[in-house]
Amino acid sequence: DAGVIQSPRHEVTEMGQEVTLRCKPISGHDYLFWYRQTMMRGLELLIYFNNNVPIDDSGMPEDRFSAKMPNASFSTLKIQPSEPRDSAVYFCASSFMAGVGDEQFFGPGTRLTVL
Amino acid sequence: EDQVTQSPEALRLQEGESSSLNCSYTVSGLRGLFWYRQDPGKGPEFLFTLYSAGEEKEKERLKATLTKKESFLHITAPKPEDSATYLCAINFGNEKLTFGTGTRLTIIP
């Protein structure tokens, strides 16, 4: 398996533009997690899905952020409109189970810069 | 609120100089503690899971231990390729992981 795949790897955009980040989880994994990593706040969970259903979106910073998982092999994280404070590295991770007993496998991340 | 604290923030060691990284937590129901390694420009890579106080796990030059309040990642005779950021994450009883801010380890040849 190729592991978790994320695209694009780098995104530079201007404030106010819409940004869409994409993730393909490892085949057979039932859980998908979206994280954001910054120097100030470290790695923060934004939202996670189980069997394509959003379970907990309490980490989504505000209504400008939305996430979907239309099928077991694809998920998107959208920011509309984007702001400079959204600049960060966004990671997608997947796991067979969740919580105790099963590790999460992370993708390479998307480095987002909002000018 | 359940919290995870890692120390030190950064650590520089000479090659072969053993040391330990610390992960402490306030607990209201620890279900598991995870150690990850992160190289620059990459996603975190899983190392270990510990479930109960007294448990230990080893992988090459790394050994992770767990007590009721903290975990240590011991690095024995490190090499330059061990340089990375080491992240600790806690499962407090649900399906989510809470990550610490990490220890940035540099091994000098």
Side-chain angles (χ1 to χ4, degrees):
Chain A
D1 199 318
V4 176
I5 299 173
Q6 291 187 248
S7 65
R9 292 295 312 277
H10 302 273
E11 177 81 26
V12 180
T13 189
E14 293 189 348
M15 183 174 62
Q17 296 298 307
E18 178 179 295
V19 175
T20 300
L21 311 182
R22 297 172 176 80
C23 175
K24 176 179 169 54
I26 293 173
S27 178
H29 281 189
D30 293 330
Y31 286 83
L32 184 141
F33 304 83
W34 281 101
Y35 290 90
R36 177 171 68 178
Q37 187 174 43
T38 61
M39 289 293 293
M40 290 296 294
R41 299 176 66 88
L43 199 61
E44 301 175 288
L45 178 66
L46 300 176
I47 185 172
Y48 77 94
F49 296 82
N50 178 22
N51 291 321
N52 313 336
V53 177
I55 303 300
D56 187 336
D57 65 355
S58 60
M60 297 285 260
E62 48 197 274
D63 292 345
R64 298 184 297 107
F65 286 69
S66 63
K68 295 181 179 180
M69 192 165 186
N71 57 62
S73 60
F74 184 66
S75 178
T76 60
L77 178 67
K78 186 175 293 186
I79 308 172
Q80 167 63 22
S82 58
E83 297 182 3
R85 60 190 167 127
D86 301 330
S87 297
V89 181
Y90 291 81
F91 289 102
C92 174
S94 70
S95 66
F96 178 63
M97 296 170 56
V100 176
D102 208 32
E103 64 267 27
Q104 296 178 17
F105 294 85
F106 283 77
T110 295
R111 180 173 295 277
L112 174 65
T113 302
V114 183
L115 303 174
Chain B
E1 179 182 338
D2 298 321
Q3 288 191 329
V4 183
T5 303
Q6 290 190 247
S7 62
E9 289 188 12
L11 181 63
R12 291 171 62 89
L13 300 172
Q14 292 293 133
E15 183 173 0
E17 180 184 1
S18 301
S19 188
S20 298
L21 313 181
N22 178 263
C23 173
S24 63
Y25 51 90
T26 58
V27 60
S28 60
L30 177 72
R31 293 281 306 279
L33 184 144
F34 299 73
W35 281 100
Y36 284 81
R37 168 191 171 128
Q38 186 174 23
D39 292 298
K42 296 187 177 182
E45 177 186 352
F46 171 77
L47 293 173
F48 305 109
T49 308
L50 301 167
Y51 298 109
S52 56
E55 187 174 1
E56 298 182 354
K57 289 193 176 175
E58 290 188 61
K59 180 180 181 179
E60 297 181 358
R61 294 176 292 281
L62 300 176
K63 184 170 78 172
T65 62
L66 181 65
T67 71
K68 289 185 178 181
K69 293 289 186 179
E70 60 191 346
S71 176
F72 291 95
L73 185 65
H74 306 278
I75 302 175
T76 302
K79 298 181 178 181
E81 53 262 41
D82 295 321
S83 296
T85 295
Y86 290 85
L87 299 168
C88 168
I90 304 284
N91 177 282
F92 287 110
N94 51 36
E95 296 173 320
K96 301 190 290 188
L97 294 182
T98 300
F99 280 83
T101 52
T103 294
R104 188 172 64 254
L105 177 66
T106 304
I107 308 300
I108 305 164

